[in-house]
Each structure stands twice: as structure tokens, then as C-alpha cells.
Amino acid sequence: SFASAINSKGVSGPVTVDVVAGSGPYSEQVTFTASGTASNTITINGNGEKITSAGTYRNYTVIYLNGADFFTFDNLAVEANGISSGTRCYTINNSANSNTIKNSNLTMPRYTSTSSYTAYIMYSSDLYYRRDGNHGTGNVVKDNVMSNGISTTAGPYYGVIDYRGFRTQTAGNTVTGNSISDVYMAGVYNYYCNDWEASNNKISFRSRTSYTVYGVYGYRGTGYNSGIKINGNQVENQNVSSGLYGVYTYYCYGNNTNPVEVKNNKISNIRILADRDFNGAYINRSYFVDVTGNKVSNVEVLGARTYRSAYAFNVYYSNDVNLKKNSVDNIKSLGGATWGLRTYRCNKLFIEDNIVNELTTGATSGSVNAGAVFYYTKKGSFVNNVVSNSSGGRIYGLSIEG
């Protein structure tokens, strides 16, 4: 096979493989261990043909990049037909660098359970478990369509997950321009990754879910070199029986030169069907963050309990944050509070040119309805913001406490 030949012999020049149109589908699992270089790249043009597999015991990955470098997979449909934990279209690990997966349909039509070891693409040092390691850098996943195919209930836990740890925390990878649908927990998930990007993706979730779901999730990372970028993503038209975070950052650090970017994301037409919270963008214990030009609109939290709330922008224990030129429109909570711009125990927060319109809480008393609330927030500015048309509960246009 091509994989066996290139793994055993390597490359001495650029290699291009054209899959013959109409020759598939191919039923197999493939592992690549060969490495190209920046000048001697390896390109597989799939011409829309499909490779599919249900996997074998504890290996349910269709294509495995095990230390492979400088591969490009273009327009190659990959269907993971596994029904077990560990089902994936791609697994990438062992310092697999500078690979590209693009213009491809990635599908998981049969996996209907809820294991966190499943994904369309997983960076993991284990083919079955979700395990940290130095998986590789400079990889790009772009312009793909990831879905459950024709199923109504199937799909993986994650869309694309890069899972590392404190001792293996290195520069991450790029996920851009993809349609990522039918995920159970998160569209793009980065754990202990530095200098990563998730931009211009459209993200949606499985029709049945009971856990909190995330559009883009970043947990402990720095962007000191090229930055962490969460820009231009869309999380829209979702009815979920769970809490929902459009963007979530936790201990993500930038600096003056390369702030963490959360720009031009759109979270809209969301209905939370259970007693859970909604957060459009939640910036948690993160430093040097630029939250600019985002839109959060048409959100309903239907839980009746007063402690369930809708937060368009929620900044918590974070420093040096720009919250500028964002818009909030038509946010409703049946029983709990609604918040346009909420900050808690922050330092150096610059809130400028935001528009907050039409916040509504169904509670007649007790619950807060606040355009902008600042708890124990030190230093910064609040300039040229507009808050209008709120109703229900205790209404605050601007509240500063502590």
C-alpha cells in the first residue's frame, strides 16, 4: 500500500498522490509515520473519495498520524463507523508537525454514546483514551465539514480536541473555516495549549445533550509568541437541554504584544431548555484579553429557578481586559437574572462603545436585570456604552459595587 511504502522508504522530493475519482470507498485503517519537509511535502488529493472503517479493538481511528510531518489531506472523505469509545476520524500525536487537513467531509454516523475519548480529530498520545503528550505543532484543520452524516442522534464528544498537560504544554494548532456539527460537548477544545487559533468556524451540537456545551473552550494556555485567537466563530440556532458557553477561557494569558483575542464571534438564537446558565463569552482568570466586536442576541433561558442566569459577557477574576464594541440584544431569562456586561474582581478593565439592548427577566422581584454591573473591579474605563429597553426584576443600567 502507499502508506506502507512511504513509511518504509520515506521521501526525497515532493510527493503527490491522486486518488482516482470513482475508485472508492476504501474500507481500511491507515497509519502514517513518514515525515516530509517544508520543501518535500506529501499531498494526498482525495478527489472526494471516501475511506471508512469501524476500527478494531481499542483502535477505532481511521487515519493515524504517528509522528508524521508535512502531510496534506485534501478533499478526502473520512467516515469513522465505530460505535465504541475512542472512535475518531483522525488521531494525531508523537510530535506530528505541519500537517494539513482541508476541504474534506469527516463523518461519524454510528456513534451515539457520550465518551470523552471520541472526536472528529483528536490530538492524543493514545488511540483509545484521551491522553496528554507532545502531539505536534503547526497543524492546520481548515474548510472541512464535520457531521454525523444522515443520522439524527450520532456524533462525537468533541469536534477537534488538542489535549495536553502541564509537562507537555507547547504551541498548539489552528482550526479555521470549518463547519463542526453534532458534537456532544465542545466544538473546539484546547487543554494546556499555547499559541493556538480557532477562527471562523460554525459550531452546533447534538440534538440531545444534558451537559454543559461549549463552542470554543480554552483551558490554561499562553499566547506570548503568536497569540491565542478565538475570532469569527458562530454558535447559532441551538435548542439545548444544558448550559451553553459560546466562548470559554480559563487561565489563558496574553501580553501587550499578543493579547488573547476574542473578536467578532456571533452567538445567537439560543434556547436553554433546562435549569442551566447561558454565557455568551466567559473570560475566567485570564490576562490581557481583547474582547471586541462580538454579537450576542436572541437568547432565552427557560429554567424557572432564580439562580439560573443569562450572561452575555461575563468577566471573572481577570486583568487587563478590553471589552469594546460588542453588542447584546434580546436576552431573556424566565426565572433568573439577565446580565449584559458583568465583571467580578477584575483589574484594568476597559469597557467602551458597547451596546446592550432589551434584557428581560420573567421574575417579578429579586432577580437582577443589569446592563452593566461591576463587582470589586479596579481601574480602567467605562466610556460611550449604551444600555436600553430592559424589563422585569430589579433593573440596573449601570451598577458599581465593592
Side-chain angles (χ1 to χ4, degrees):
S1 69
F2 168 69
S4 298
I6 202 166
N7 289 340
S8 61
K9 298 181 180 180
V11 297
S12 57
V15 175
T16 298
V17 175
D18 288 306
V19 180
V20 177
S23 62
Y26 296 87
S27 182
E28 58 183 309
Q29 293 175 278
V30 179
T31 296
F32 290 103
T33 59
S35 290
T37 65
S39 56
N40 296 330
T41 58
I42 304 163
T43 301
I44 299 175
N45 292 323
N47 288 312
E49 292 302 312
K50 180 189 294 184
I51 180 171
T52 179
S53 177
T56 57
Y57 179 68
R58 289 189 178 271
N59 178 5
Y60 305 100
T61 289
V62 181
I63 297 178
Y64 178 28
L65 301 183
N66 180 9
D69 301 333
F70 291 98
F71 274 77
T72 294
F73 299 87
D74 188 359
N75 194 20
L76 178 67
V78 181
E79 184 175 271
N81 269 319
I83 59 174
S84 300
S85 179
T87 297
R88 305 162 195 167
C89 295
Y90 285 86
T91 296
I92 302 172
N93 77 0
N94 194 21
S95 297
N97 302 317
S98 303
N99 300 289
T100 300
I101 301 166
K102 65 179 184 178
N103 303 321
S104 300
N105 290 329
L106 310 182
T107 55
M108 289 180 59
R110 299 181 63 207
Y111 182 79
T112 58
S113 192
T114 59
S115 168
S116 61
Y117 306 152
T118 59
Y120 295 115
I121 299 173
M122 182 174 287
Y123 295 85
S124 172
S125 60
D126 193 279
L127 283 171
Y128 182 77
Y129 295 107
R130 181 190 66 179
R131 188 161 289 166
D132 70 284
N134 186 1
H135 309 310
T137 64
N139 298 293
V140 177
V141 177
K142 68 176 184 177
D143 301 329
N144 302 286
V145 176
M146 308 181 199
S147 73
N148 61 21
I150 61 174
S151 173
T152 58
T153 59
Y157 201 80
Y158 305 104
V160 180
I161 173 175
D162 193 340
Y163 190 84
R164 307 182 187 225
F166 176 75
R167 292 178 177 82
T168 57
Q169 183 174 348
T170 54
N173 301 289
T174 297
V175 181
T176 182
N178 302 281
S179 173
I180 305 172
S181 61
D182 308 312
V183 294
Y184 191 76
M185 191 266 195
V188 181
Y189 189 101
N190 284 274
Y191 191 85
Y192 278 101
C193 299
N194 301 334
D195 298 298
W196 54 270
E197 179 176 357
S199 295
N200 302 314
N201 301 289
K202 295 182 178 179
I203 298 167
S204 60
F205 307 98
R206 279 164 58 172
S207 58
R208 296 181 182 179
T209 181
S210 57
Y211 292 93
T212 299
V213 294
Y214 302 85
V216 179
Y217 182 105
Y219 183 96
R220 290 190 181 272
T222 65
Y224 299 153
N225 295 314
S226 61
I228 293 173
K229 298 178 174 63
I230 308 171
N231 300 331
N233 300 287
Q234 299 178 38
V235 180
E236 298 182 283
N237 305 317
Q238 296 295 297
N239 296 330
V240 293
S241 298
S242 68
L244 186 146
Y245 292 75
V247 173
Y248 180 97
T249 69
Y250 181 77
Y251 282 107
C252 290
Y253 295 165
N255 55 29
N256 278 320
T257 304
N258 291 303
V260 176
E261 294 182 5
V262 181
K263 295 183 176 181
N264 302 316
N265 299 284
K266 186 177 181 182
I267 299 99
S268 65
N269 300 323
I270 307 295
R271 299 179 80 233
I272 308 296
L273 305 178
D275 280 311
R276 300 295 180 96
D277 291 335
F278 166 82
N279 282 265
Y282 187 37
I283 310 303
N284 187 358
R285 292 176 167 86
S286 298
Y287 297 170
F288 291 96
V289 186
D290 192 357
V291 184
T292 301
N294 303 281
K295 297 181 179 180
V296 180
S297 63
N298 301 325
V299 174
E300 289 185 278
V301 177
L302 299 180
R305 298 180 181 179
T306 57
Y307 56 82
R308 293 305 182 189
S309 300
Y311 305 88
F313 295 93
N314 194 359
V315 185
Y316 186 79
Y317 276 101
S318 296
N319 297 341
D320 293 281
V321 177
N322 290 327
L323 194 60
K324 299 181 178 181
K325 297 181 180 179
N326 302 287
S327 67
V328 180
D329 186 56
N330 191 25
I331 311 297
K332 300 178 181 179
S333 179
L334 179 64
T338 53
W339 311 81
L341 313 171
R342 178 184 184 268
T343 72
Y344 185 84
R345 292 192 181 277
C346 297
N347 187 29
K348 296 182 181 178
L349 195 62
F350 304 94
I351 302 174
E352 301 174 9
D353 301 309
N354 300 285
I355 298 174
V356 179
N357 180 58
E358 199 170 347
L359 304 181
T360 306
T361 177
T364 57
S365 64
S367 289
V368 172
N369 192 333
V373 174
F374 311 117
Y375 292 104
Y376 306 100
T377 294
K378 300 177 181 179
K379 298 182 180 180
S381 62
F382 184 82
V383 180
N384 296 329
N385 302 284
V386 177
V387 179
S388 60
N389 300 322
S390 294
S391 61
R394 292 179 289 146
I395 299 174
Y396 299 92
L398 168 64
S399 176
I400 300 175
E401 301 182 23

